[in-house]
Amino acid sequence: QLVESGGGLVQPGGSLRLSCAASGFTLDAYAIGWFRQAPGKEREGVSCISSGGSTNYADSVKGRFTISRDNAKNTVYLQMNSLKPEDTAVYYCAGDLYYSGLNSYEYDFWGQGTQVTVSS
């Protein structure tokens, strides 16, 4: 099971750090992706990190978001800086043993999501 936390309401230009914690298993062998879905829109890939630490980002968040993993804490983080209103969405983390990319259909298991709202 994956559990996301850290969402909330933030003003434009602000920052949030999302966490994706694993329960009942260790994350270190898995690639983890972050995805988001805004109302009326399809789910989109935001960032991912492989078991070896390689990272990938959507163009819309490059330079603003940073993904990292702390295997000792069994957690993957998404640091989000310079947030914009268009970043408003429910953010999900997902895991897969073999795939590491931004295609949501390839991921095997998902968290329940955390709401991020960027508004003044």
Side-chain angles (χ1 to χ4, degrees):
Q1 181 182 4
L2 296 176
V3 179
E4 302 96 333
S5 62
L9 173 64
V10 64
Q11 292 187 342
S15 298
L16 283 175
R17 188 177 78 160
L18 304 184
S19 298
C20 173
S23 176
F25 67 100
T26 55
L27 269 182
D28 55 0
Y30 294 85
I32 299 296
W34 280 100
F35 299 84
R36 65 187 181 186
Q37 189 165 20
K41 295 188 176 181
E42 292 188 357
R43 188 171 296 187
E44 65 169 336
V46 175
S47 182
C48 60
I49 186 166
S50 70
S51 59
S54 297
T55 60
N56 194 14
Y57 297 91
D59 288 343
S60 58
V61 306
K62 279 181 182 176
R64 300 188 298 124
F65 291 11
T66 303
I67 192 171
S68 63
R69 64 192 307 154
D70 186 337
N71 290 334
K73 294 185 177 180
N74 218 24
T75 301
V76 169
Y77 302 100
L78 185 68
Q79 178 67 43
M80 306 187 296
N81 298 329
S82 303
L83 282 161
K84 305 175 181 179
E86 51 264 43
D87 294 317
T88 296
V90 177
Y91 283 71
Y92 300 88
C93 63
D96 196 86
L97 193 56
Y98 302 108
Y99 175 76
S100 176
L102 297 180
N103 184 348
S104 63
Y105 294 102
E106 297 288 342
Y107 282 83
D108 192 36
F109 51 94
W110 292 75
Q112 82 291 346
T114 185
Q115 176 70 47
V116 172
T117 303
V118 185
S119 175
S120 55

